[in-house]
């Protein structure tokens, strides 16, 4: 098989895997939440979630009807032979996956309506990264649902508001989100950079395995402190007031302009879906574990 | 808190017995309708035109499903969990008054206008576990019909489903003016101050 065909097949498999099988660390977090839940409503709701993702895994069908808008995180080694063709290969894979998995057609053109195949201008979106001295391609399929997208937020705080302002913005964002994005949530937070950089980092933070912390100890402390505090809000599973509200907080921090303090917060619903693989220039495939 | 099993067409007295926090299972007919279907239905109604579906006594399901057509042309449900109901808040009061469904099914809850319409027209809102699309699909026994597919697309059109014990739904708005999500929200608002203090956003006692 030629390399373009291998990449296309891997991309289809990643989309299938993302919508039918949760990353191991996400699955573990949800099972632990069910085990620890004390009340009837929390138990019923978490049991329904667990039953649903187990059915999805065994039947290889999407766990949620909202199979998301498709994006890919791409890390292309500078020596990987196929880079310029990638957008077209990923578009073809998305169209095929839409039919085969199937995925719900979720790409809507502003004027022409739903394109019917999950491909539209700029969609699937690609987050590019070029890796020096590498002959590998790393692909992560990241389909993002609409419900949790709609509650994501960007705060352009005044630098004087500092850490207190950042914490307040995050608490207020979770309160505003309430039940709307299918809690328990997984949170990705990006601080600094600029308006788009903070949001980008927030999204990227969701790729980290659940339960891991930022290697910067101060940021790791902030993650732990926020996780504990946000659960005291008691929004609960599905916003019904019982069980966990947030299962992980991942924070990435970039340098910032002296006059700006951007904070991006990207919510993932309980179905924190993504799947990845590495392909070398010979076409050997290694699937990633999140 | 009780468990109830209702079959469509649902009568007024059955709905009146339901209270927030009850668990509900529905059998019979439910029809999917999201933003665009609500808008189109109300536009037709206001123009004095007839809808292809009679919503009276049945369930309206806030859902944009994944459907698959077989080679013989039959539709099957792949995944059909609820979508965020808050988006339909701008339509639902008028929709309930115009078409008299007995159950609105979705996720995340709805606002005070829908709560008022549920009280006046004797309707309830049942919350289905968000994202649990395969559980929902397993309770859908038959795809009876589809309307507006060409015009609105798969997620937005009207899918008419025959369901058996569709649930568990948590009654989150009853016909007595109670709204479970609003109650939780009130408690969350109270908890915010505590959380601010815990995070030293405001000082204890401040």
């Amino acid at each position: 098989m030629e390399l373009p065909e291998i990449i296309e097949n891997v991309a289809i498999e990643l989309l299938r895997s993302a919508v039918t099988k949760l990353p191991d660390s996400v699955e573990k977090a949800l099972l632990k939440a069910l085990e620890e839940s004390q009340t009837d409503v929390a138990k019923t709701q978490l049991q329904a979630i667990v039953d649903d993702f187990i059915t999805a895994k065994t039947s290889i069908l999407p766990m949620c009807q909202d199979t998301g808008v498709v994006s890919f995180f791409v890390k292309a080694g500078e020596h990987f032979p196929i880079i310029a063709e990638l957008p077209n290969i990923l578009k073809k894979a998305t169209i095929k996956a839409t039919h085969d998995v199937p995925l719900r057609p979720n790409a809507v053109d502003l004027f022409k309506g739903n394109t019917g195949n999950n491909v539209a201008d700029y969609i699937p979106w690609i987050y590019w990264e070029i890796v020096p001295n590498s002959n590998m391609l790393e692909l992560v399929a990241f389909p993002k649902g609409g419900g949790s997208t709609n509650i994501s937020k960007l705060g352009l705080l005044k630098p004087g508001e500092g850490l207190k302002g950042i914490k307040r913005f995050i608490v207020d964002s979770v309160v505003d989100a309430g039940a709307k994005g299918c809690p328990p949530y997984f949170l990705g937070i990006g601080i600094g950079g600029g308006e788009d950089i903070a949001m980008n980092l927030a999204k990227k933070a969701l790729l980290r395995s659940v339960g891991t912390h930022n290697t910067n100890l101060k940021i790791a402390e902030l993650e732990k402190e926020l996780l504990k505090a946000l659960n005291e809000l008691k929004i609960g599973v599905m916003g019904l007031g019982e069980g966990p509200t947030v299962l992980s907080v991942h924070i990435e921090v970039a340098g910032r302009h002296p006059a700006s303090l951007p904070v991006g917060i990207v919510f993932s619903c309980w179905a924190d879906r993504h799947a990845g693989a590495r392909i070398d220039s010979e076409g050997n495939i290694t699937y990633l574990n999140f | 808190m009780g468990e109830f099993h209702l079959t469509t067409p649902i009568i007024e007295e059955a709905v009146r017995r339901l209270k927030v926090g009850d668990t509900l299972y529905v059998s019979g007919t439910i029809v999917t309708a999201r933003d665009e279907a609500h808008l189109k239905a109300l536009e037709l109604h206001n123009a004095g035109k007839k809808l292809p579906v009679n919503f009276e006594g049945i369930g309206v399901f806030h859902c944009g499903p994944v459907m698959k057509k077989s080679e013989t042309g039959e539709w099957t449900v792949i995944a059909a969990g609820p979508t965020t109901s808050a988006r339909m808040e701008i339509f639902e009061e008028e929709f309930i008054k115009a078409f008299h469904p007995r159950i609105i099914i979705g996720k995340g809850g709805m606002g005070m206008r829908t709560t008022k319409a549920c009280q006046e027209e004797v309707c309830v809102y049942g919350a289905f576990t968000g994202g649990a699309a395969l559980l929902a699909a397993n309770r859908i026994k038959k795809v009876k019909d589809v309307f507006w597919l060409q015009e609105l697309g798969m997620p937005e059109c009207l899918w008419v489903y025959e369901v058996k014990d569709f649930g568990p739904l948590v009654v989150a708005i009853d016909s007595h003016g109670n709204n479970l999500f609003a109650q939780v929200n009130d408690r969350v608002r109270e908890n915010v101050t505590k959380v601010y203090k815990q995070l030293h956003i405001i000082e204890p006692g401040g």
Side-chain angles (χ1 to χ4, degrees):
Chain A
M1 212 185 288
E2 298 291 317
L3 202 48
E5 202 183 339
I6 292 173
I7 299 170
E8 185 180 319
N9 287 343
V10 168
I12 294 170
E13 278 322 300
L14 292 179
L15 283 170
R16 188 194 312 277
S17 173
V19 301
T20 60
K21 194 198 163 307
L22 287 175
D24 288 348
S25 66
V26 174
E27 224 183 89
K28 224 171 103 189
L30 288 164
L31 287 168
K32 185 164 166 262
L34 172 61
E35 208 181 284
E36 289 171 354
S37 63
Q38 308 275 339
T39 60
D40 285 351
V41 170
K43 267 188 211 156
T44 311
Q45 295 300 316
L46 283 164
Q47 190 65 58
I49 287 170
V50 169
D51 288 349
D52 188 70
F53 75 66
I54 289 174
T55 310
K57 193 159 64 168
T58 50
S59 59
I60 321 179
L61 286 171
M63 64 192 79
C64 177
Q65 77 290 342
D66 183 354
T67 50
V69 150
V70 177
S71 65
F72 290 95
F73 284 85
V74 171
K75 282 187 192 168
E78 66 165 323
H79 302 304
F80 191 77
I82 293 172
I83 295 182
E85 279 175 65
L86 267 179
N88 268 335
I89 294 172
L90 296 178
K91 272 188 181 173
K92 266 164 61 185
T94 302
I95 291 170
K96 276 197 186 157
T98 302
H99 176 266
D100 293 354
V101 175
L103 306 175
R104 192 177 73 185
N106 270 343
V108 178
D109 180 276
L110 182 58
F111 300 106
K112 291 181 240 158
N114 200 314
T115 61
N117 61 10
N118 276 313
V119 170
D121 291 345
Y122 297 105
I123 302 294
W125 180 258
I126 300 173
Y127 298 88
W128 284 103
E129 211 174 301
I130 301 293
V131 185
N133 302 318
S134 158
N135 68 344
M136 306 283 274
L137 174 73
E138 190 181 300
L139 266 185
V140 178
F142 193 102
K144 183 78 165 62
S148 65
T149 294
N150 292 348
I151 51 175
S152 294
K153 275 206 168 85
L154 172 69
L156 295 159
L157 312 186
K158 294 177 181 68
E161 294 177 73
L163 211 47
K164 278 186 189 181
I166 292 170
K167 289 177 186 175
R168 185 179 199 131
F169 174 71
I170 293 164
V171 172
D172 293 350
S173 298
V174 174
V175 170
D176 283 351
K180 290 198 285 280
C182 285
Y185 297 123
F186 297 88
L187 296 188
I189 293 165
I191 300 171
E195 65 279 53
D196 56 332
I197 301 165
M199 290 309 288
N200 237 300
L201 286 175
K203 197 159 221 182
K204 209 172 156 185
L206 283 175
L207 293 180
R208 244 161 62 196
S209 286
V210 174
T212 62
H213 286 285
N214 195 300
T215 48
N216 178 318
L217 291 181
K218 280 192 176 161
I219 301 172
E221 276 314 306
L222 186 59
E223 290 174 342
K224 289 176 200 165
E225 190 189 11
L226 280 166
L227 177 64
K228 189 161 176 282
L230 291 171
N231 279 306
E232 300 292 325
L233 290 171
K234 299 201 188 304
I235 292 166
V237 180
M238 289 301 142
L240 292 165
E242 298 176 16
T245 303
V246 175
L247 290 177
S248 72
V249 177
H250 293 172
I251 303 176
E252 296 294 327
V253 181
R256 61 174 177 84
H257 187 284
S260 321
L261 179 53
V263 182
I265 172 162
V266 174
F267 287 76
S268 172
C269 55
W270 65 259
D272 184 4
R273 292 164 286 183
H274 44 275
R278 255 181 228 123
I279 306 168
D280 68 18
S281 47
E282 308 295 315
N284 299 306
I285 306 158
T286 321
Y287 285 92
L288 305 175
N289 205 356
F290 288 101
Chain B
M1 281 169 221
E3 184 180 310
F4 294 83
H5 294 254
L6 300 181
T7 302
T8 66
I10 299 164
I11 55 166
E12 201 176 307
E13 294 87 275
V15 174
R16 283 193 196 280
R17 277 198 290 274
L18 301 170
K19 303 259 163 39
V20 289
D22 285 341
T23 305
L24 173 63
Y25 294 86
V26 183
S27 297
T29 306
I30 64 173
V31 180
T32 65
R34 298 178 19 139
D35 316 54
E36 290 184 34
H38 276 74
L39 184 64
K40 187 174 163 73
L42 288 171
E43 274 173 5
L44 286 176
H45 179 74
N46 292 337
K49 290 183 183 147
K50 218 170 159 264
L51 295 195
V53 177
N54 180 6
F55 285 99
E56 204 165 319
I58 66 169
V60 174
F61 185 19
H62 297 157
C63 167
V66 182
M67 305 291 295
K68 197 161 191 175
K69 202 175 194 173
S70 73
E71 278 162 21
T72 55
E74 268 174 63
W75 285 102
T76 49
V77 185
I78 303 293
T83 193
T84 306
S85 299
R87 293 199 317 273
M88 269 57 78
E89 178 66 13
I90 50 173
F91 306 116
E92 212 66 88
E93 180 188 22
E94 203 185 337
F95 193 96
I96 292 169
K97 288 186 172 167
F99 305 118
H100 307 103
R102 286 282 181 226
I103 301 178
I104 310 292
I105 302 164
K107 73 172 170 83
M110 299 193 74
M112 294 326 284
R113 282 174 61 193
T114 302
T115 309
K116 195 167 149 268
C118 281
Q119 193 172 11
E120 286 170 8
E121 303 292 328
V122 192
C123 182
V124 291
Y125 173 84
F128 189 85
T129 311
L134 294 178
L135 287 192
N138 284 342
R139 304 292 170 101
I140 297 168
K141 297 304 167 193
K142 201 177 150 194
V143 181
K144 288 163 78 174
D145 230 324
V146 56
F147 301 101
W148 305 344
L149 174 62
Q150 205 66 15
E151 186 187 341
L152 301 185
M154 188 194 286
E156 296 287 341
C157 68
L158 300 173
W159 293 99
V160 184
Y161 294 143
E162 187 179 306
V163 295
K164 176 85 180 129
D165 282 326
F166 192 83
L169 309 172
V170 178
V171 176
I173 298 175
D174 62 23
S175 62
H176 309 286
N178 300 306
N179 184 325
L180 181 59
F181 283 98
Q183 291 167 7
V184 172
N185 270 345
D186 289 345
R187 285 203 296 274
V188 170
R189 298 267 163 213
E190 285 168 24
N191 294 337
V192 169
T193 317
K194 213 168 66 191
V195 170
Y196 279 170
K197 283 179 186 166
Q198 193 179 327
L199 290 170
H200 307 289
I201 295 168
I202 54 175
E203 298 310 321

